[in-house]
Amino acid sequence: MSTARKPALLPCLALAIALLAPRVAPGDDAPKAGALVIVGGGGMPDNVRDKFMALAGGKAAKLIVIPTASEDADKKDEEEAYLKPWRRYEPANLTLLHTRSREKADTAEFARPIAEATAVWFSGGDQNKIIEAYRGTAVEREFHALLKRGGVLGGTSAGAAIMSDVMIRGGNPVAEVGRGFGFVKNAVVDQHFLKRSRMNRLYGVISAHPELIGIGIDEGTAFIIEGDRWSVVGRSAVLAFEVGKDGQPPRFASFTEGDRGKYPATGLPTPERSRQAEDE
């Protein structure tokens, strides 16, 4: 669904859309190679984690977990805490990869595990710590190579913020903006979206970058991009919006679990019509 409103109504509109958005039945289209699982933070439902691991290859998955966003990532006694949630899936390989040294991150030896992986997961914390360690290094190049060869990149909270090229570094209601990894080219991603009332913050960023859309992901919810397809898994909502063009008001859309559709190169994600709606 899409709804036009004046910017002054943004906070109320966000909640209304999230609560009232219609569900769209899943389609039967096969996913394309390469996927992003972008989670809005908070507790992660099992079906979100299940979806990520299915895309990663299930028991054949070779998963890299990157805890660099966390202040505790340097503590050896905390390493198992980052790996434990994934052990029950019994992946073929499960590796923790972390450094704060850009020089180390730019070596082929350090980045090699990513070249052999099917998936990378970015834990939460401070997105700036991830960017400071890896942007412009061999590690970042391997992230993009993994996605290109059909792997999956996923992350929660800070691990979601890094997905877009224009990245929100912090601040609310006025955002501080920097550069992310650019796995998502046409959007700015924000997380903890409804829980932390970040509608105006994200709208301010896309107002400064009107060529981009905003994708706000609430806690416990994943926005998944597989090639030119998108879907939502989780317990809350994803809001997408763009500024008004040529004198038109801004456009909004809200999606919840089960919604899916076409992810275009520009403009808002396009939802599929449910079979029930087509029959009526």
Side-chain angles (χ1 to χ4, degrees):
M1 61 174 282
S2 296
T3 309
R5 294 289 189 275
K6 295 180 180 180
L9 301 179
L10 293 181
C12 294
L13 180 62
L15 292 173
I17 293 177
L19 295 172
L20 301 177
R23 301 273 298 263
V24 181
D28 299 323
D29 301 83
K32 294 193 175 182
L36 302 172
V37 179
I38 313 172
V39 184
M44 191 155 61
D46 286 344
N47 61 344
V48 173
R49 207 179 293 272
D50 292 348
K51 177 65 174 180
F52 175 79
M53 287 304 297
L55 290 169
K59 291 185 183 299
K62 297 178 180 180
L63 173 59
I64 305 291
V65 176
I66 296 181
T68 306
S70 173
E71 292 183 357
D72 295 331
D74 298 319
K75 300 177 181 178
K76 289 292 183 182
D77 58 354
E78 294 291 331
E79 290 184 358
E80 178 58 23
Y82 300 110
L83 300 176
K84 185 176 180 180
W86 306 105
R87 290 201 185 280
R88 67 184 177 91
Y89 294 95
E90 300 178 349
N93 196 2
L94 179 59
T95 303
L96 185 132
L97 194 71
H98 165 67
T99 184
R100 301 214 186 274
S101 167
R102 290 183 54 81
E103 290 75 18
K104 187 175 182 179
D106 202 28
T107 64
E109 180 181 2
F110 184 83
R112 186 172 296 113
I114 306 171
E116 300 169 355
T118 63
V120 169
W121 179 261
F122 299 95
S123 300
D126 181 352
Q127 54 265 39
N128 298 293
K129 294 181 185 299
I130 307 176
I131 296 301
E132 288 164 4
Y134 304 124
R135 181 172 165 80
T137 70
V139 165
E140 184 190 5
R141 292 190 290 274
E142 290 297 343
F143 292 155
H144 288 278
L146 184 150
L147 189 63
K148 187 175 181 179
R149 68 176 179 265
V152 54
L153 301 174
T156 185
S157 189
I162 62 171
M163 295 284 177
S164 51
D165 186 29
V166 176
M167 183 189 82
I168 296 177
R169 298 185 57 188
N172 194 26
V174 179
E176 301 171 16
V177 176
R179 295 289 303 278
F181 289 133
F183 305 137
V184 180
K185 299 294 186 185
N186 68 331
V188 181
V189 175
D190 206 352
Q191 14 75 33
H192 301 282
F193 195 64
L194 296 174
K195 182 71 172 179
R196 299 187 185 178
S197 301
R198 288 176 167 174
M199 187 77 172
N200 288 335
R201 154 168 122 162
L202 184 53
Y203 190 82
V205 175
I206 65 166
S207 294
H209 300 272
E211 74 281 7
L212 304 175
I213 65 170
I215 297 177
I217 308 169
D218 200 27
E219 294 186 355
T221 308
F223 186 73
I224 300 165
I225 303 174
E226 303 173 61
D228 64 351
R229 308 292 299 172
W230 66 268
S231 60
V232 173
V233 177
R235 61 173 178 258
S236 188
V238 174
L239 275 71
F241 48 98
E242 63 181 353
V243 298
K245 296 181 175 64
D246 300 322
Q248 297 299 310
R251 298 177 62 236
F252 299 85
S254 177
F255 311 110
T256 54
E257 181 167 286
D259 290 355
R260 64 187 300 163
K262 179 88 169 180
Y263 192 81
T266 59
L268 298 181
T270 305
E272 292 178 345
R273 289 172 57 85
S274 68
R275 290 189 179 90
Q276 179 180 357
E278 291 172 353
D279 292 340
E280 291 176 349

